[in-house]
Amino acid sequence: MTTSAVLRSDFALCLWIPLFPLRCEERRHPELIHRPTALLSPHETRRLWQVSSPARRMGVRSGMTVSQAIGLCPSLSLREPDPVHYDETFSHLLLALEDMSPVIEPVELGRVFVGVDGLNGLYGGPLEQAGAVTQVVRQHGGCDRSAGPPSYRLGWARGKFLSWVAATRAKRGTVVVVPNGEHQAFLAHQPVAVLPITSDTHRRLRQLGLATLGDVARLPELAMVSQFGAEGGRAWRLATGKVADPVIGHQRPEPIVAGLDFPVPAADRAVLAHAIDTLIERGLRHPRRTGWRVHVVRLRAVLEHGVSWLTEVVLKDPSAHRDRIAAPLNTRLESSPPTGAVEHLAVEFTSFARGTDELQLFARDASSSARAGRRQALHDAAREIETRFKRPLLSHVVEVQPWSRLPERRYALIDFEP
Amino acid sequence: MVTSARTPLRIDRLRALNVPQPVHVLVDDHGLPTAVTSETPDHSTTTSGEPNYRAIEEIIEIWRIDDEWWRHSLTRRYLDIVLAGGSHVIVFEDLNSGQWFLQMP
């Protein structure tokens, strides 16, 4: 992959997996597929985040409180959210998609644009390209065939907006292709709800009787600009298909190196392990690392008498967490240690996997990363307990009716299942 | 045990916290409790099988709740009490059944 040229593609294949976190849970727990299920909000455990179709049919909606939801659907299965797992699953999907195209632009969990310029020779036309993406999704997308009906939707078109609208029109497990030149006819029948504009502008468009993009396109651009400003102009250009934003792939960061010289050559494992932790932390704090997780890490040492030592680890699960990166390096240090005392030690991050910006692992502040680490440690401990005792013994306290005058109704326990 | 007036929950997934525990209570002439059985089930009886009462040091507050008269009436008299030894607990009398229950504050 080039690191200097801008990676862009005019034609896009939008892969959309609605309710991606819920799909990940269903993949891990297939018994949930046909049951009313809801994920608790990662930020406010009293409220629901994502709701499955069976639960929606019973009136449960995202944002409801747990007590409201249980009142509507007593059989509702509540799940603790596992953002780290969703993020890792999505990251694996992105890595697999990169094998297909170098131009990948993730938007959010479960939505990614794949640049398809120049892929005709490799895969064939749009349908064949969609077929190749489908294969990747089934293997890595948190919604393989064994876990129930396909939940992904695909849209192929020129530009990101058009391909996104096409994906929203696709039925589950299918692709909608908008051939070049037919975009205006396709867009004309789409509802204005697909426009990326504020809810207030949506409301005003509806009040003006503009229901479809065709209605918007029939207006002069100036009228839209005068009513809605720059946002109106952008909406008009999208509705008429006059803009087609290309897919922009992000260049992978250059390798990040963090090193230190020992004032006195060090042979003690504990000292070296501590130094590795420090160097990994320094590398993770590097601005180039933000938004990326480490895939390949290399540990270099210059020993006494000019001898060198090197080991390289490919992380099965790319990570931005110090301990996860350090663990395999320390194992290597134990199994095949340097043959002499170390004068200079360096940690190199040589390959990266893309991450999404919305989750804790990729947050810029260290405290968010620490929270993610603690959560992962808790999950590991819970798994161990469940393995040893054959059932989950940990529970999570959720607020049900904290305002209730009856103490037993204020809080409840749900199984903590990592 | 108090009958739950709520929609039945899937107890394998969601379990109520601080569920009222039935206790025996000794009351005085004014109907105020003077002693309750220990809140720990293992210590609620003596070796001879008699209830193991703990004296009530102080009644901090008394209040009453009348609720849900439209489906299954809940009528309770709550007492915020301090037991001998300093434990701070809540007991209530279900005025429909006359039973006493203990809860954490």
Side-chain angles (χ1 to χ4, degrees), chain A residues 35 66 70-71 74-79 395 397-398 400 405-409 411-415 417, chain B residues 5-10 12-20 64-68 71 74 76 78 103-104:
Chain A
R35 280 176 32 188
V66 170
I70 293 290
S75 61
L76 184 68
S77 290
L78 292 167
R79 305 286 310 176
S395 298
V397 178
V398 292
V400 180
R405 294 192 294 169
L406 306 175
E408 68 269 27
R409 292 192 186 170
Y411 302 96
L413 292 174
I414 62 170
D415 290 342
E417 294 176 1
Chain B
R6 298 194 61 198
T7 308
L9 302 179
R10 291 196 62 235
D12 58 325
R13 299 293 309 160
L14 196 63
R15 302 184 300 279
L17 260 180
N18 203 8
V19 176
R64 177 178 163 130
I65 286 179
D66 291 280
D67 207 350
E68 303 190 3
R71 45 180 179 180
L74 283 172
R76 295 177 178 179
Y78 280 89
Q103 272 184 312
M104 290 300 112

Side-chain angles (χ1 to χ4, degrees), chain A residues 187-364:
Chain A
L187 284 173
H189 297 97
Q190 305 308 322
V192 290
V194 298
L195 287 172
I197 50 180
T198 63
S199 57
D200 184 52
T201 307
H202 273 303
R203 182 180 53 77
R204 289 174 61 201
L205 285 175
R206 282 198 304 274
Q207 287 173 340
L208 290 167
L210 301 171
T212 65
L213 298 189
D215 294 339
V216 175
R218 276 189 285 278
L219 296 171
E221 183 179 7
L222 274 178
M224 285 292 288
V225 174
S226 62
Q227 268 291 319
F228 303 103
E231 190 182 33
R234 166 95 179 144
W236 185 86
R237 288 191 294 278
L238 289 172
T240 53
K242 291 196 184 305
V243 290
D245 294 332
V247 184
I248 303 292
H250 293 284
Q251 298 164 13
R252 287 174 181 278
E254 296 286 322
I256 295 170
V257 182
L260 65 82
D261 291 311
F262 290 99
V264 177
D268 184 12
R269 301 276 166 77
V271 173
L272 293 176
H274 180 69
I276 289 170
D277 284 350
T278 307
L279 292 173
I280 290 173
E281 279 179 2
R282 206 193 297 168
L284 290 175
R285 280 200 300 268
H286 197 287
R288 279 209 305 274
R289 207 276 313 161
T290 303
W292 296 86
R293 56 176 67 189
V294 179
H295 191 201
V296 179
V297 60
R298 190 180 285 175
L299 185 62
R300 281 192 290 116
V302 177
L303 312 180
E304 281 181 310
H305 315 301
V307 185
S308 65
W309 178 86
L310 174 77
T311 188
E312 186 178 87
V313 171
V314 178
L315 296 172
K316 187 181 166 198
D317 293 326
S319 176
H321 188 253
R322 185 196 72 182
D323 294 343
R324 285 187 159 203
I325 300 170
L329 292 179
N330 285 323
T331 305
R332 292 282 176 89
L333 200 62
E334 288 292 324
S335 59
S336 55
T339 52
V342 177
E343 289 182 340
H344 176 83
L345 188 69
V347 166
E348 285 181 26
F349 300 153
T350 58
S351 178
F352 300 86
R354 196 191 313 278
T356 53
D357 294 331
E358 63 193 78
L359 287 172
Q360 296 166 348
L361 276 178
F362 302 97
R364 290 171 185 273

